[in-house]
Amino acid sequence: MMETDIDKRGKFIVFEGGEGSGKSSISKWLVERLASEGHMVRWTREPGGSPFAEKIRTLILSDDARHADAETLFALFLAARRDHLKQTIIPHLEVGASVISDRFMSSTWAYQLVAQEQPQLRELFHQMHAHYLDGLEPHYVFLDVPPEVGLRRAKSRPEATTHFDERDVAFHTRVRDGFLEFFSTIPKERITVIDAHEPLERVQERAHATVRSIIG
């Protein structure tokens, strides 16, 4: 039997978590380790991940966006995601590379819909992603950390904070609730939850074992 295009595709794996969960540093570390083991793998991020989407990212994280309403930000995230998928994620998957993304659609659900309390966007969210993804189903690795712990970590980072980092604990508690709600709707075999409050080395090794089991 001939290999199908789907058989040749790389795996799409999304690292998610609230502020200070470690998802960015751990996902980057993981890509370097997998590459050293001979795997063809690409790291990317959201918002951003393609030249045009990175420009949208600058808008989303700017001080001007602090005063934008949730629906405006939702539209910007969707526009960035469309370009990210078309220019980066899908082309790499189609040549057999696995793609590891720092954030994806679950962050939009958690931040823009649940944390900002915008239930009217739920139907639009599902409609747009059914169209954009066209059957593409990511695997998710959720680095779970108590919001107050994550915020302390985020504020101790050397990078400048964003207007998302500066929201209160109640907002970030809703973010965590939003992630858990989103993950409750997808097949259990496509989500791994890791306790990111554990020592870094343990979290890294669990993440490595999880992703190795996915990409084979």
Side-chain angles (χ1 to χ4, degrees):
M1 182 183 294
M2 293 182 62
E3 249 187 343
T4 66
D5 289 341
I6 292 177
D7 293 330
K8 296 177 183 177
R9 266 190 173 189
K11 303 297 185 181
F12 181 29
I13 302 160
V14 175
F15 272 70
E16 284 288 17
E19 307 306 323
S21 62
K23 59 179 180 43
S24 300
S25 58
I26 290 172
S27 60
K28 287 179 181 178
W29 168 86
L30 181 59
V31 166
E32 291 179 1
R33 178 164 174 179
L34 291 170
S36 73
E37 294 169 351
H39 296 280
M40 188 163 59
V41 61
R42 162 71 184 260
W43 182 87
T44 189
R45 68 176 182 179
E46 287 211 348
S50 64
F52 185 57
E54 287 290 331
K55 292 181 179 180
I56 300 174
R57 176 188 178 90
T58 300
L59 286 174
I60 289 172
L61 298 181
S62 69
D63 283 340
D64 290 337
R66 186 187 304 272
H67 307 293
D69 69 9
E71 295 199 11
T72 300
L73 289 174
F74 178 74
L76 287 171
F77 276 105
L78 285 179
R81 182 159 304 132
R82 171 67 174 180
D83 198 69
H84 187 205
L85 279 162
K86 294 290 287 183
Q87 302 300 328
T88 302
I89 295 172
I90 292 173
H92 280 85
L93 294 176
E94 287 181 343
V95 298
S98 290
V99 174
I100 293 179
S101 182
D102 175 356
R103 296 203 185 282
F104 196 57
M105 55 190 284
S106 38
S107 274
T108 303
W109 182 273
Y111 281 81
Q112 273 63 61
L113 276 67
V114 177
Q116 298 196 72
E117 301 176 306
Q118 301 294 315
Q120 78 280 6
L121 294 175
R122 291 177 180 235
E123 183 177 353
L124 181 60
F125 175 94
H126 290 301
Q127 290 173 344
M128 295 299 289
H129 284 94
H131 173 67
Y132 283 179
L133 295 179
D134 191 26
L136 178 63
E137 296 184 7
H139 296 265
Y140 289 93
V141 179
F142 178 48
L143 301 183
D144 191 19
V145 66
E148 60 276 11
V149 174
L151 283 175
R152 284 201 301 271
R153 290 178 179 176
K155 290 175 181 177
S156 69
R157 293 182 303 212
E159 311 96 86
T161 58
T162 71
H163 57 89
F164 289 108
D165 299 321
E166 294 166 5
R167 313 244 178 153
D168 61 21
V169 172
F171 175 88
H172 290 283
T173 298
R174 293 196 300 273
V175 167
R176 181 176 182 272
D177 292 342
F179 278 126
L180 295 176
E181 178 183 307
F182 180 88
F183 294 135
S184 72
T185 68
I186 64 175
K188 290 183 179 179
E189 63 270 18
R190 288 191 169 271
I191 171 67
T192 299
V193 178
I194 296 176
D195 182 358
H197 202 190
E198 292 189 337
L200 175 61
E201 295 77 9
R202 190 175 303 172
V203 177
Q204 287 176 325
E205 290 307 315
R206 177 117 189 256
H208 177 256
T210 296
V211 173
R212 279 293 304 271
S213 71
I214 293 169
I215 66 178

